[in-house]
Amino acid sequence: MRQPDFESAKEFALHLLDTQLSPQLIYHSIEHTRDGVVPTAQKLAEMEGIPDEERMLLLTAAFYHDLGHTEGYQEHEEISIRIAEQNLPGFNYSPQQIAVIREIIRATRMPQSPKNLLGRIMADADLDILSREDYFKRNIDLRIEWQVVR
C-alpha cells in the first residue's frame, strides 16, 4: 500500500482556502487554519505522544476542517468532510484513514463532542483562540463575520 501524499493534500487544502474563501470570512481565513489550528494541533499531538501516522491524519483533518467554508457557512463541517472524501483518495489516503479524518473534522462542530483523543486535540486546536493574546481582536472578527454571513 502506498503512503498518503500528505504534502500534496496539504497544498490542495491551502490552495482552496487561499483562492475560494470569501473575503468576508475575516475569522475563518487561511490564517486561522494555517497559522492557528494546524500548529496548535501539531504541538498538542507532540505533547500527547501521538504516533506519526495518527499525527499525519490529525494534521490532514486540521488543514481540511474549514474547507466547507469555500462553499457555505452553515453545516460547513459536513461540506469539509465531503471535500475530504472526494479528494483524499487522489492523494493515496485509504478509506480507513479517511474515516478517521471524517471523525476528527466532525469533532469541531459546535457544540463540540469529540469521540476520541484525536478529536479532542482537534477541538482544542480549533478553539485555541481562547488562550491567545489576540483573543479580543479575533473574537470581534468572529462577531463581524457572523453579522455578515448569517
Side-chain angles (χ1 to χ4, degrees), residues 9-63:
K10 173 182 93 171
E11 290 306 316
F12 173 83
L14 288 173
H15 177 74
L16 274 185
L17 291 170
D18 189 42
T19 62
Q20 302 297 315
L21 280 178
S22 166
Q24 294 178 320
L25 299 180
I26 60 174
Y27 179 86
H28 288 102
S29 63
I30 189 173
E31 292 82 13
H32 165 72
T33 296
R34 182 191 63 214
D35 304 335
V37 176
V38 171
T40 301
Q42 173 73 24
K43 180 179 176 182
L44 293 173
E46 289 171 6
M47 291 171 61
E48 289 287 347
I50 302 298
D52 290 344
E53 181 177 347
E54 288 182 49
R55 188 174 331 158
M56 181 264 305
L57 298 177
L58 172 67
L59 294 178
T60 302
F63 279 109

Side-chain angles (χ1 to χ4, degrees), residues 8-148:
S8 293
K10 173 182 93 171
E11 290 306 316
F12 173 83
L14 288 173
H15 177 74
L16 274 185
L17 291 170
D18 189 42
T19 62
Q20 302 297 315
L21 280 178
S22 166
Q24 294 178 320
L25 299 180
I26 60 174
Y27 179 86
H28 288 102
S29 63
I30 189 173
E31 292 82 13
H32 165 72
T33 296
R34 182 191 63 214
D35 304 335
V37 176
V38 171
T40 301
Q42 173 73 24
K43 180 179 176 182
L44 293 173
E46 289 171 6
M47 291 171 61
E48 289 287 347
I50 302 298
D52 290 344
E53 181 177 347
E54 288 182 49
R55 188 174 331 158
M56 181 264 305
L57 298 177
L58 172 67
L59 294 178
T60 302
F63 279 109
Y64 279 67
H65 86 285
D66 274 344
L67 288 185
H69 283 302
T70 63
E71 296 181 21
Y73 205 78
Q74 302 301 323
E75 304 292 327
H76 76 274
E77 298 89 356
E78 293 304 315
I79 300 168
S80 298
I81 288 168
R82 178 181 47 76
I83 293 169
E85 289 173 335
Q86 289 173 343
N87 290 282
L88 290 177
F91 299 114
N92 299 321
Y93 285 75
S94 72
Q96 296 83 5
Q97 291 168 324
I98 294 169
V100 171
I101 291 165
R102 177 186 316 120
E103 289 309 310
I104 296 170
I105 293 171
R106 206 167 265 140
T108 66
R109 183 181 177 137
M110 296 295 222
Q112 295 176 325
S113 55
K115 296 184 179 357
N116 54 44
L117 179 57
L118 294 178
R120 288 192 297 275
I121 290 171
M122 183 65 204
D124 286 348
D126 197 28
L127 292 179
D128 170 60
I129 184 171
L130 297 174
S131 66
R132 292 185 0 201
E133 290 183 19
D134 64 345
Y135 165 76
F136 290 107
K137 184 211 178 303
R138 297 296 290 147
N139 190 38
I140 291 168
D141 289 346
L142 181 58
R143 290 177 182 275
I144 292 169
E145 181 178 294
W146 282 345
Q147 290 174 351
V148 172

